Amino acid sequence: MMPAPIARLFPRAQPKAAAFTGLLIAAAALAAVPFVLGMNFGNSWVRIVDFALLYVMLALGLNIVVGFAGLLDLGYIAFYAVGAYLYALLASPHFGLHLPLWVILPLGAACAALFGVLLGAPTLRLRGDYLAIVTLGFGEIIRIFLNNLNAPLNITNGPQGIANIDSMSVAGHALEKPLVLFGIALPSLYLFYYLFLALAILTMFICIRLEDSRIGRAWVAIREDEIAAKACGINTRNIKLLAFAMGASFGGVAGGLFAGFQQFVSPESFGLLESIMVLCMVVLGGMGHIPGVVLGALLLAILPEALRYAARPMQIWMFGRMLLDPEALRMLLFGGALIVVMLFRPAGLWPSAIRRREFASAEKET
Amino acid sequence: MSELLLDARGIRKNFGGVRALSDVSLTIHKGEIYGLIGPNGAGKTTFFNVLTGLYTADAGHIDFAGHRLDLGQAHQVVRAGIARTFQNIRLFGNMTALENVMVGRHTKSRAGVWGAVTASRATRAEEKAIVARAHALLRYVGIDARANDLARNLPYGDQRRLEIARALATEPGLLALDEPAAGMNASETAALRHLIENLRADGITILLIEHDVKLVMGLCDRVAVLDYGEKIAEAAPEVVQRDARVIEAYLGGPVQ
């Protein structure tokens, strides 16, 4: 019998042909998503899914910090902001710079990673609640800076934000224009979907590889017992900073994509509520478990929109007329759904085996 | 005696106004089992924590295998070749026994982010070697059958063994055991003693803090006694047992 960790280390142990067919079916299904949504529900739904994919990247990045290394970060959206503003400044008429996507995205990742280290370095000795408060402050500082850096030198254009940002172009094609391929016209929103999907899958792939590595084990060891981790020879300072930097760099890439997609950024997109939303995705999906986190991100990004559409017919069906404004009702339902999930599945919707055990043992102890 | 392995000079540690260690000096030779005993609160664990880099010393220095230790840097101490266990066992409770020992291989492996993400040939070979080594160490301490059990679910004696296996994974020259027999019954203690003797036979030098006097006297080549943060004796066990200051420290002042 093969022990479980070894099976995890060599996932290729399953028959290759079956794995390949499975992969092909999954790829076809994912490729069909925008067509199915666009034709049945309209293009606004494709747009919602595009955003959901950005949230998947954000949640996966935050999961490295919160889920793997166990460091509670309430200011994560700051790295998204750094990536987005970097794109905005380097590809818009604001400074007259128009750098290509493949230059800006790595630069955004690196810049966000640097900010991750800047946040991580002074907070190395903090844990839990204290760390949460400092990271919360950090997130707000970045937002307030963006809001006020329009005088004396106009860098961020202040609360008005930066508009007319260049759209992204991949292989010479600007994604804001539809692409005709083999006689099929692919609208711009579909193209963004494919780009975001590719990068979300890449992010997921990196996370999976990291989780099952020496680095991933060191992160979990720090989460489990920092002193014992030190006694095993782990340089906890560097490994924690690495978690902050890696997590932040995913946020930076997602931010760059956001700026190129919206073609407009302003500080109000990067408030505390956004940080909390991403944290909710990680916690609700299942901290530290990559498939769970992806599920959490997709659900929380799509559910509020679905509720917006469902609120009206639901009320008419139940009461025969509209009682509440759909906008108010959807947040009420959304909050209620979060509470219900956390009550009945405290370890998240789809927790990793290890987290499930942690929660089970915590319950036994209390 | 043989070659000098560890040379601690004038280690001092204060906690506020309390002097936990006052100028403790001791030497450990290669291949010996060195006991550190003393009444409760004598500073044994404090000395351990200074030695293994969890505390910084207020004065003094430690040379290990000819190199000055970077005190206060736990991971550097492990790299230099000193591994430890804890009085109150500190395992990664929600990882399996095997994964615990795999974490112990951290300093002896090198895969970084790039290697992990690309799963390069070198990284895969390294991971395979880590798993093989971890199994071998679990076999060595006699708990390989429980490799895939969660550390927290192991019986107490096996947890102690697992902690030793994890420490051995760092390939230490000196293994520091903080009260390894605490809470063990007679048969578990006998098995532990057997394990420690095996370790010595395999060339590992051992520093042992222990309350079980029988175990210390039976195992150790030399013993140092701490009392109120001062070293009051350092000699072979038979000599220490007859030392007047040691008897006073354990039993209180001379009987009137």
Side-chain angles (χ1 to χ4, degrees):
Chain A
M1 190 200 83
M2 215 179 193
I6 296 190
R8 260 200 285 134
L9 286 174
F10 304 108
R12 274 191 253 165
Q14 56 179 306
K16 261 190 181 160
F20 187 71
T21 334
L23 210 64
L24 219 60
I25 293 171
L30 285 174
V33 165
F35 289 96
V36 173
L37 280 179
M39 282 162 195
N40 293 319
F41 304 99
N43 275 346
S44 65
W45 273 97
V46 181
R47 194 181 166 77
I48 290 166
V49 172
D50 287 355
F51 269 111
L53 287 171
L54 290 180
Y55 279 113
V56 167
M57 275 180 253
L58 282 175
L60 283 171
L62 184 62
N63 181 50
I64 289 181
V65 183
V66 178
F68 292 167
L71 303 161
L72 186 50
D73 184 350
L74 284 183
Y76 184 69
I77 213 69
F79 308 123
Y80 191 51
V82 167
Y85 267 86
L86 194 78
Y87 188 103
L89 295 178
L90 295 182
S92 74
H94 185 62
F95 284 151
L97 292 170
H98 298 280
L99 299 184
L101 181 68
W102 56 269
V103 173
I104 302 176
L105 280 192
L107 213 58
C111 193
L114 182 74
F115 272 85
V117 172
L118 279 181
L119 164 67
T123 59
L124 283 169
R125 287 166 191 279
L126 301 179
R127 282 198 84 89
D129 332 9
Y130 304 98
L131 179 63
I133 290 168
V134 175
T135 52
L136 188 149
F138 176 81
E140 285 300 284
I141 287 169
I142 297 283
R143 188 181 61 81
I144 291 165
F145 255 97
L146 294 174
N147 215 9
N148 293 295
L149 273 182
N150 55 346
L153 191 65
N154 187 3
I155 299 173
T156 64
N157 210 23
Q160 282 107 340
I162 298 172
N164 298 323
I165 299 172
D166 302 354
S167 180
M168 293 177 275
S169 45
V170 176
H173 180 83
L175 297 190
E176 60 187 332
K177 297 189 198 85
L179 176 70
V180 180
L181 210 60
F182 310 120
I184 310 168
L186 296 169
S188 158
L189 282 170
Y190 292 23
L191 300 177
F192 280 113
Y193 169 84
Y194 292 123
L195 175 66
F196 292 178
L197 181 68
L199 286 167
I201 289 175
L202 179 69
T203 309
M204 214 170 132
F205 175 80
I206 293 174
C207 286
I208 289 172
R209 280 281 168 88
L210 280 176
E211 186 187 20
D212 255 340
S213 73
R214 170 174 174 265
I215 306 282
R217 278 195 299 275
W219 282 333
V220 176
I222 289 175
R223 186 184 79 204
E224 290 274 310
D225 187 332
E226 193 167 341
I227 292 190
K230 276 186 189 168
C232 285
I234 293 170
N235 184 338
T236 52
R237 181 195 59 202
N238 288 1
I239 294 286
K240 276 186 182 178
L241 286 181
L242 183 64
F244 275 116
M246 288 295 300
S249 66
F250 291 149
V253 170
L257 296 175
F258 170 73
F261 182 44
Q262 289 276 75
Q263 298 183 271
F264 170 73
V265 294
S266 74
E268 65 184 31
S269 306
F270 310 106
L272 175 62
L273 198 65
E274 285 291 306
S275 280
I276 291 174
M277 195 70 172
V278 180
L279 185 67
C280 279
M281 291 169 178
V282 174
V283 174
L284 184 114
M287 254 193 271
H289 192 226
I290 293 163
V293 169
V294 172
L295 175 73
L298 290 175
L299 268 184
L300 286 203
I302 293 171
L303 192 65
E305 303 300 326
L307 286 174
R308 190 206 302 270
Y309 285 91
R312 197 188 151 79
M314 216 162 62
Q315 287 189 60
I316 290 175
W317 175 70
M318 278 167 73
F319 311 110
R321 63 198 167 93
M322 285 276 284
L323 289 174
L324 285 164
D325 172 32
E327 199 58 27
L329 187 65
R330 84 183 168 112
M331 288 325 278
L332 187 74
L333 289 174
F334 181 63
L338 286 186
I339 293 171
V340 168
V341 168
M342 292 287 74
L343 275 180
F344 291 100
R345 295 196 66 93
L349 285 172
W350 191 357
S352 65
I354 202 170
R355 275 280 167 174
R356 211 175 308 135
R357 298 190 296 243
E358 272 172 37
F359 272 92
S361 57
E363 247 163 53
K364 241 183 277 163
E365 276 157 25
T366 48
Chain B
M1 193 76 198
S2 61
E3 200 183 329
L4 193 65
L5 183 66
L6 182 121
D7 186 8
R9 292 263 157 241
I11 299 295
R12 184 184 305 159
K13 178 73 191 173
N14 300 321
F15 291 112
V18 179
R19 175 155 293 188
L21 290 174
S22 59
D23 305 326
V24 173
S25 299
L26 50 84
T27 56
I28 300 177
H29 299 280
K30 210 167 194 162
E32 73 178 347
I33 299 183
Y34 188 98
L36 188 59
I37 62 172
N40 284 327
K44 302 176 303 267
T45 296
T46 304
F47 181 81
F48 248 53
N49 286 341
V50 170
L51 170 67
T52 54
L54 292 181
Y55 293 166
T56 50
D58 294 321
H61 57 81
I62 299 176
D63 289 333
F64 180 76
H67 297 282
R68 180 83 21 119
L69 284 184
D70 192 358
L71 293 178
Q73 294 286 324
H75 64 278
Q76 295 291 4
V77 172
V78 177
R79 259 173 213 282
I82 301 178
R84 71 170 291 171
T85 64
F86 292 88
Q87 184 178 346
N88 48 340
I89 307 175
R90 301 194 87 129
L91 290 167
F92 307 118
N94 294 300
M95 293 169 101
T96 65
L98 187 72
E99 286 167 336
N100 267 272
V101 184
M102 287 170 76
V103 172
R105 293 299 291 168
H106 188 84
T107 55
K108 296 289 166 189
S109 46
R110 22 181 319 125
V113 170
W114 183 250
V117 170
T118 55
S120 63
R121 188 184 297 253
T123 307
R124 275 180 286 145
E126 186 180 273
E127 279 289 307
K128 221 171 155 178
I130 290 173
V131 173
R133 188 58 184 258
H135 273 298
L137 285 164
L138 287 175
R139 260 196 307 282
Y140 185 87
V141 300
I143 55 170
D144 195 35
R146 317 213 53 164
N148 293 317
D149 288 7
L150 287 192
R152 70 157 72 244
N153 291 340
L154 295 180
Y156 186 77
D158 287 356
Q159 292 196 359
R160 288 268 177 216
R161 284 164 180 275
L162 176 56
E163 216 187 7
I164 291 174
R166 188 180 69 188
L168 288 175
T170 66
E171 295 178 23
L174 176 71
L175 179 62
L177 304 172
D178 194 351
E179 297 203 25
M184 280 189 169
N185 62 31
S187 70
E188 282 172 331
T189 307
L192 176 75
R193 182 179 172 151
H194 187 66
L195 175 62
I196 293 176
E197 277 168 349
N198 279 345
L199 286 169
R200 171 174 37 193
D202 290 327
I204 291 173
T205 310
I206 289 164
L207 169 61
L208 183 69
I209 290 185
E210 193 45 74
H211 268 305
D212 187 327
V213 176
K214 230 170 75 188
L215 185 72
V216 172
M217 295 305 168
L219 265 176
C220 294
D221 301 299
R222 285 191 309 142
V223 174
V225 186
L226 288 184
D227 188 32
Y228 292 110
E230 271 181 74
K231 188 177 80 175
I232 58 172
E234 181 183 33
E238 316 80 80
V239 181
V240 164
Q241 266 174 310
R242 290 193 300 271
D243 188 291
R245 284 187 73 189
V246 174
I247 296 169
E248 190 187 320
Y250 269 91
L251 300 178
V255 184
Q256 300 293 316

